[in-house]
Amino acid sequence: MRLVFAGTPEPAVPSLRALIESGRHEVVAVVTRPDAQAGRGRKVLRSPVGTLADEHGIEVLTPARAGDPAFLARLRELAPDVCPVVAYGALLPQSALDIPAHGWVNLHFSLLPAWRGAAPVQAAIRAGDEMTGASTFRIVKELDAGPVFGVVTETIGATDTSGALLGRLAESGAHLLVSTVDGIEDGTLRAVEQPGEGMSYAPKVTVEDARVSFADPAPAVDRHIRSVTPDPGAWAEFRGERFKLGPVTVLDEPGPRPGELVVERKRVLVGTATKPVRLGEVQAAGKKRMAATDWARGTRIDEGERLR
């Protein structure tokens, strides 16, 4: 089949690569978010999906809006049979949805209808889910509400960060997406409407959302930090400045008050509403990322000082 693939960030790359290498379908173009400035030098960079498309000589479309008339006209000219989508990052109007013969098929990183929205992996970890996965579904106007073609499941490990879990789902989801497109072409796959119950939503996680509250129980602090690692990154305040936090270890022992720091020879502890947690890597304002013990050796921490 003729495919126009839509996606932007790194987690979409395995799916595009798998479709290119499938040998069965032709990726005639890629739709991705416009080139954007990034890094300290503010260089204008192509998205990871756009970069892979360039390497394979595939046409790259970067509309400011998916409803732009010029983009819609080009999409009609390309005449795709189906448009696979992975983390494109923009809303698709009905005028675009109506163009491919078999619609737009999205790979979403949750077991729908759980965790519809922009940040399903982060939400699953923070909520303490033991199982998640990925779903392929036909896009409709309502957010992530279309009928489902297939799913894969994935266990959430006790130390999984959102980055690690998303990396695994991106790979297993790529295989699911290829098999879904194959099944659509063969006529052997039918989408099934999502259940009317069990819906939950996962909005985009902001930097402010990543702030850690040590007034929460230790397991919640642990899950919160892992859910926003590496992006946008967990943080608290120390001496009025932002203090970045890597994953922590929950300890089964008495601890100090919530947020209070205790520096020992081989570990740095922080109190929570229940048990303490041991800090892993940290990054103080103006400093490099380092082990918490190395940071504490170079910082005179007064008794009773806290992360807030």
Side-chain angles (χ1 to χ4, degrees):
M1 289 197 295
R2 291 173 60 82
L3 310 180
V4 171
F5 180 89
T8 298
E10 192 64 38
V13 168
S15 287
L16 175 57
R17 182 179 292 113
L19 288 166
I20 292 171
E21 295 176 352
S22 70
R24 181 168 174 177
H25 310 289
E26 180 186 7
V27 181
V28 296
V30 157
V31 185
T32 192
R33 298 295 294 152
D35 298 353
Q37 291 182 329
R40 291 187 177 181
R42 308 306 294 166
K43 293 182 179 179
V44 177
L45 299 177
R46 183 75 107 182
S47 74
V49 163
T51 299
L52 180 61
D54 289 339
E55 292 172 358
H56 286 269
I58 297 171
E59 179 180 354
V60 177
L61 307 174
T62 58
R65 293 171 53 255
D68 288 350
F71 166 68
L72 294 176
R74 180 57 184 147
L75 192 60
R76 292 188 191 97
E77 291 173 353
L78 290 166
D81 295 301
V82 66
C83 293
V85 187
V86 185
Y88 171 47
L91 294 175
L92 296 165
Q94 193 64 47
S95 55
L97 296 180
D98 291 339
I99 292 174
H102 295 283
W104 297 66
V105 176
N106 192 39
L107 172 65
H108 183 76
F109 297 116
S110 81
L111 298 176
L112 291 169
W115 303 126
R116 296 176 178 177
V121 173
Q122 292 93 325
I125 291 176
R126 188 166 182 177
D129 294 353
E130 295 180 353
M131 183 73 67
T132 188
S135 308
T136 50
F137 70 96
R138 182 181 293 115
I139 295 179
V140 297
K141 189 173 182 180
E142 186 181 351
L143 178 67
D144 297 339
V148 173
F149 288 102
V151 300
V152 291
T153 60
E154 183 74 35
T155 300
I156 301 178
T159 61
D160 267 337
T161 63
S162 61
L165 180 56
L166 184 56
R168 298 202 304 274
L169 289 172
E171 295 294 338
S172 60
H175 297 294
L176 172 64
L177 184 59
V178 172
S179 66
T180 297
V181 174
D182 289 348
I184 291 172
E185 182 181 45
D186 293 339
T188 58
L189 194 59
R190 296 289 182 269
V192 177
E193 295 295 333
Q194 294 184 35
E197 300 178 349
M199 289 178 290
S200 51
Y201 292 88
K204 181 179 179 180
V205 178
T206 67
V207 171
E208 189 58 38
D209 293 333
R211 183 171 188 170
V212 178
S213 171
F214 289 97
D216 292 336
V221 170
D222 166 49
R223 294 195 304 267
H224 185 181
I225 293 173
R226 289 189 290 111
S227 76
V228 294
T229 300
D231 185 48
W235 63 280
E237 280 192 2
F238 179 68
R239 296 177 180 172
E241 294 187 299
R242 186 168 294 182
F243 186 78
K244 297 180 181 180
L245 300 160
V248 298
T249 303
V250 177
L251 302 176
D252 187 17
E253 59 187 71
R257 296 176 301 165
E260 185 175 345
L261 288 159
V262 173
V263 179
E264 299 178 352
R265 184 169 175 268
K266 293 186 177 181
R267 60 183 192 170
V268 179
L269 310 184
V270 185
T272 73
T274 53
K275 303 292 186 179
V277 296
R278 185 177 73 232
L279 295 183
E281 288 192 330
V282 301
Q283 186 175 3
K287 302 290 185 180
K288 294 181 179 180
R289 198 169 187 86
M290 63 184 73
T293 49
D294 293 337
W295 164 75
R297 275 194 289 270
T299 306
R300 184 181 179 86
I301 299 173
D302 297 327
E303 184 176 350
E305 280 200 278
R306 300 169 66 191
L307 298 179
R308 301 179 184 275

